[in-house]
Amino acid sequence: LDVVCVARMDLLIGIDASGSMGLSGWKAQRTALLQLVNRMALSKASGIQLGVLKFAYKITVLSQLTDDKKKLISAITKTKFDRWTTNIGGAFRSMKGMLQKGRRDAPSICMLWTDGRPSRPSSKYDASLGAKSLRSSCRVMVVTMRPAVPKSYVSPWVSHPKSQNVMVVNHPNLMVEKVMRVNTFVCGKVQTFLDWTKAYNATKTTTAAAGIR
């Protein structure tokens, strides 16, 4: 089903830029994220605010929480593949910092996309500590992108209920075709793309008419 996420929430997404992704996997992941952005009703007043970071050895914040779709698309499109280790603990800690700019009256979701296990300068223990701290501030979700990272490995990181906060995609290259599944996975309120487009255009027409008066 072709749907748009119309929930009101602050959403942070961390994407994996480590070497194990491979260039084709990195490009597929980035394309999937761009498609996901285009399937979200961004609005500080009534919809989603989205923030994005990438993680490898270093953590790079691509965008703080915003409803500026053009800014998000530009930042995601321009970012490069780092090809290094998998600093998952650092990603979790950075997300917690980014939440400081969120809305106090909106629920927060932090979603990590990864195809690997934590590695230097992080570790399994470090990732667990980072996730534990983050869970006190938002709902933590993980999308794994390889069978080598089973649900049982990442489930200690995510919020309860564990079964609803881990999604498995068998390869990074499959992320593009799974975008709608990711959309419904993270979003508590969806609308068909056609219905959303009609409502969006009606709002624009009403706003323009009000301006003419």
Side-chain angles (χ1 to χ4, degrees), residues 94-173:
S94 294
M95 284 181 171
K96 186 161 186 177
M98 293 169 72
L99 286 173
Q100 300 304 310
K101 298 186 178 181
R103 293 168 291 184
R104 293 184 179 180
D105 61 344
S108 299
I109 295 178
C110 300
M111 185 165 60
L112 189 85
W113 298 7
T114 184
D115 85 322
R117 301 170 187 244
S119 57
R120 204 168 50 89
S122 188
S123 65
K124 186 177 182 180
Y125 178 69
D126 176 64
S128 296
L129 287 180
K132 182 179 180 180
S133 176
L134 184 59
R135 287 197 302 271
S136 66
S137 303
C138 70
R139 177 181 177 183
V140 177
M141 309 175 82
V142 172
V143 178
T144 66
M145 294 181 286
R146 288 193 196 277
V149 189
K151 277 188 175 183
S152 59
Y153 190 89
V154 303
S155 62
W157 304 341
V158 304
S159 300
H160 289 284
K162 304 289 188 180
S163 61
Q164 295 180 20
N165 290 305
V166 179
M167 189 177 103
V168 176
V169 176
N170 286 329
H171 194 278
N173 290 339

Side-chain angles (χ1 to χ4, degrees), residues 11-158:
L11 172 63
L12 296 177
I13 297 179
I15 59 172
D16 193 336
S18 64
S20 60
M21 288 293 297
L23 183 58
S24 64
W26 163 255
K27 288 181 177 179
Q29 180 187 214
R30 187 176 59 183
T31 298
L33 180 57
L34 288 168
Q35 291 185 6
L36 192 63
V37 171
N38 281 317
R39 287 294 183 269
M40 290 183 172
L42 300 181
S43 169
K44 185 174 183 178
S46 60
I48 297 172
Q49 283 199 125
L50 177 63
V52 180
L53 63 79
K54 69 172 179 177
F55 62 95
Y57 183 85
K58 295 181 179 180
I59 310 298
T60 304
V61 175
L62 304 183
S63 174
Q64 296 286 352
L65 285 163
T66 183
D67 61 356
D68 189 333
K69 187 169 287 192
K70 288 184 179 179
K71 178 182 176 182
L72 283 161
I73 289 172
S74 176
I76 296 165
T77 301
K78 291 177 181 177
T79 193
K80 305 296 184 183
F81 181 35
D82 288 354
R83 293 185 178 90
W84 206 242
T85 54
T86 314
N87 187 1
I88 290 175
F92 284 142
R93 286 187 289 274
S94 294
M95 284 181 171
K96 186 161 186 177
M98 293 169 72
L99 286 173
Q100 300 304 310
K101 298 186 178 181
R103 293 168 291 184
R104 293 184 179 180
D105 61 344
S108 299
I109 295 178
C110 300
M111 185 165 60
L112 189 85
W113 298 7
T114 184
D115 85 322
R117 301 170 187 244
S119 57
R120 204 168 50 89
S122 188
S123 65
K124 186 177 182 180
Y125 178 69
D126 176 64
S128 296
L129 287 180
K132 182 179 180 180
S133 176
L134 184 59
R135 287 197 302 271
S136 66
S137 303
C138 70
R139 177 181 177 183
V140 177
M141 309 175 82
V142 172
V143 178
T144 66
M145 294 181 286
R146 288 193 196 277
V149 189
K151 277 188 175 183
S152 59
Y153 190 89
V154 303
S155 62
W157 304 341
V158 304

Side-chain angles (χ1 to χ4, degrees), residues 4-9 41 46-49 103 186-190:
V4 175
C5 182
V6 294
R8 186 173 191 273
M9 62 182 173
S46 60
I48 297 172
Q49 283 199 125
R103 293 168 291 184
V186 73
C187 184
K189 184 179 179 182
V190 297

Side-chain angles (χ1 to χ4, degrees), residues 200-213:
Y200 179 74
N201 289 337
T203 301
K204 284 179 65 176
T205 301
T206 302
T207 303
I212 292 173
R213 296 192 193 99

